[in-house]
């Protein structure tokens, strides 16, 4: 049995797949409730979020009628999930945690199913993996676009798409190495575990702004002054003496009187020199012979 047959024909996994569709409908309904949608809005958001990724996958593969429309099961589960939130509005931390866990399980399963299906249709490894990730997160992206917000997978959220990517790569590895198809469940578990830990520990990928320092010269001066004052206080606490600024050179006064062109010029001037405080340089390690 190949991975696709395992994921599609196994009754337990199919039940988990339908449960994932239901849970995604519930999660989408919670968003619709916050936005005060009517019943039609709940239904549309629930269908798009729960089935959008699979529909995109089947259209790309030229599968014919997408699996979501091949029977009433998928549509019924998506509508039932959004209807639960519309009618009952369940709340509480336990409910949110349960929805998150089941949603992550469905995500990993969809990533494996999408990748296996793409490989079965003859796609190369990279497109197959990309389509597997699309199957897992595509519905959420379409949902976010419909409500006018930046998709959560683009940044600031847990490693949801990263977990889907791990599962997709693992599924491709099972096929490429010709190992027993049951090993694809290990890939599903690995991706779900990563996404679950990320949601629990609030792990995120580095954002673009996190790699940049955008300070003006004045802000850089204020920052360095605070660091120097803090360092002098630390030296005083550790040595029991008060560092005395040399009469001939007051570095903090220089920061005020010298007009640097920009932050880079200030950085070159300050960090490029070795300023001593009464014979003691607080920026040197205490084990440095020159500090003794």
């Amino acid at each position: 049995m190949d991975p696709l047959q395992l994921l599609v024909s196994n009754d337990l996994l199919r039940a988990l797949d339908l449960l994932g569709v239901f849970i995604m409908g519930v999660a989408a309904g919670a968003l619709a409730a916050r936005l005060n949608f009517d019943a039609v809005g709940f239904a549309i958001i629930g269908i798009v979020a729960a089935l959008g990724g699979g529909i995109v996958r089947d259209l790309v593969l030229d599968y014919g009628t997408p699996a979501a429309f091949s029977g009433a099961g998928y549509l019924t589960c998506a509508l039932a999930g959004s209807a639960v939130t519309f009618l009952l509005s369940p709340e509480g931390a336990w409910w949110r945690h349960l929805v998150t866990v089941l949603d992550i399980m469905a995500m990993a399963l969809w990533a494996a199913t999408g990748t296996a299906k793409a490989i079965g249709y003859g796609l190369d490894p990279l497109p197959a993996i990309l389509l597997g990730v699309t199957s897992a997160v595509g519905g959420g992206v379409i949902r976010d676009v419909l409500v006018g917000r930046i998709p959560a997978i683009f940044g600031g959220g847990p490693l949801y798409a990263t977990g889907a990517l791990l599962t997709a790569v693992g599924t491709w590895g099972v096929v490429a190495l010709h190992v027993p198809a049951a090993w694809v469940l290990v890939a599903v578990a690995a991706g779900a575990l990563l996404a679950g830990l990320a949601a629990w520990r609030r792990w995120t990928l580095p954002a673009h702004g996190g790699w940049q320092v955008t300070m003006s010269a004045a802000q850089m001066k204020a920052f360095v002054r605070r660091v120097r004052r803090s360092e002098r206080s630390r030296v005083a606490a550790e040595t029991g003496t008060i560092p005395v600024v040399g009469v001939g050179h007051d570095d903090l006064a220089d920061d005020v009187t010298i007009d640097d062109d920009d932050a880079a010029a200030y950085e070159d001037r300050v960090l490029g020199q070795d300023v001593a405080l009464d014979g003691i340089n607080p920026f040197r390690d205490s084990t440095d012979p020159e500090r003794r």
Side-chain angles (χ1 to χ4, degrees):
M1 180 181 295
D2 63 36
L4 179 58
Q5 290 176 328
L6 172 68
L7 291 168
V8 173
S9 62
N10 185 283
D11 291 338
L12 175 60
L13 296 180
R14 180 173 174 78
L16 290 176
D17 191 24
L18 291 174
L19 179 60
V21 171
F22 175 81
I23 293 300
M24 281 297 292
V26 171
L31 174 61
R34 290 197 298 271
L35 298 176
N36 199 29
F37 283 9
D38 60 14
V40 174
F42 270 77
I44 292 176
I45 289 296
I47 291 173
V48 166
L51 305 177
I55 292 173
V56 171
R57 175 202 63 210
D58 291 343
L59 291 176
V60 170
L61 292 175
D62 195 17
Y63 178 76
T65 302
F69 299 121
S70 61
Y74 284 98
L75 286 170
T76 300
C77 288
L79 290 172
S82 58
V84 165
T85 310
F86 181 76
L87 296 174
L88 303 180
S89 299
E91 296 179 355
W94 69 270
W95 175 255
R96 291 193 300 272
H97 294 330
L98 177 62
V99 170
T100 299
V101 170
L102 295 177
D103 181 32
I104 287 173
M105 292 174 57
M107 173 275 300
L109 190 64
W110 291 343
T113 303
T115 304
K117 200 168 190 178
I119 294 174
Y121 272 74
L123 267 64
D124 290 335
L126 185 58
I129 290 171
L130 177 60
L131 200 55
V133 175
T134 301
S135 300
V137 304
V141 171
I142 299 173
R143 173 205 62 202
D144 290 344
V145 171
L146 281 179
V147 300
R149 69 181 190 182
I150 298 174
I153 67 167
F154 288 170
L159 305 181
Y160 194 81
T162 307
L165 178 61
L166 178 60
T167 295
V169 171
T171 303
W172 170 80
V174 170
V175 177
L177 298 176
H178 303 289
V179 298
W183 279 92
V184 76
L185 299 180
V186 176
V188 172
L193 180 62
L194 175 60
L197 287 174
W200 175 45
R201 304 294 297 177
R202 300 188 182 279
W203 294 340
T204 59
L205 293 176
H208 173 66
W211 299 99
Q212 295 179 324
V213 177
T214 53
M215 288 186 178
S216 66
Q219 290 172 325
M220 179 67 80
K221 288 181 178 181
F223 172 76
V224 174
R225 282 198 295 270
R226 287 196 299 271
V227 171
R228 285 175 169 172
R229 290 193 183 100
S230 175
E231 184 67 12
R232 287 172 177 171
S233 299
R234 184 187 67 80
V235 171
E238 292 180 357
T239 63
T241 60
I242 301 176
V244 179
V245 177
V247 177
H249 188 87
D250 186 347
D251 53 309
L252 294 182
D254 286 347
D255 289 344
V256 177
T257 59
I258 297 177
D259 186 16
D260 297 293
D261 293 333
D262 53 24
Y266 177 68
E267 180 182 358
D268 291 340
R269 177 174 65 81
V270 173
L271 301 183
Q273 64 184 0
D274 191 12
V275 179
L277 301 178
D278 194 26
I280 298 177
N281 187 345
F283 294 97
R284 293 187 183 275
D285 186 84
S286 59
T287 59
D288 192 311
E290 294 185 18
R291 286 201 57 180
R292 301 176 189 168

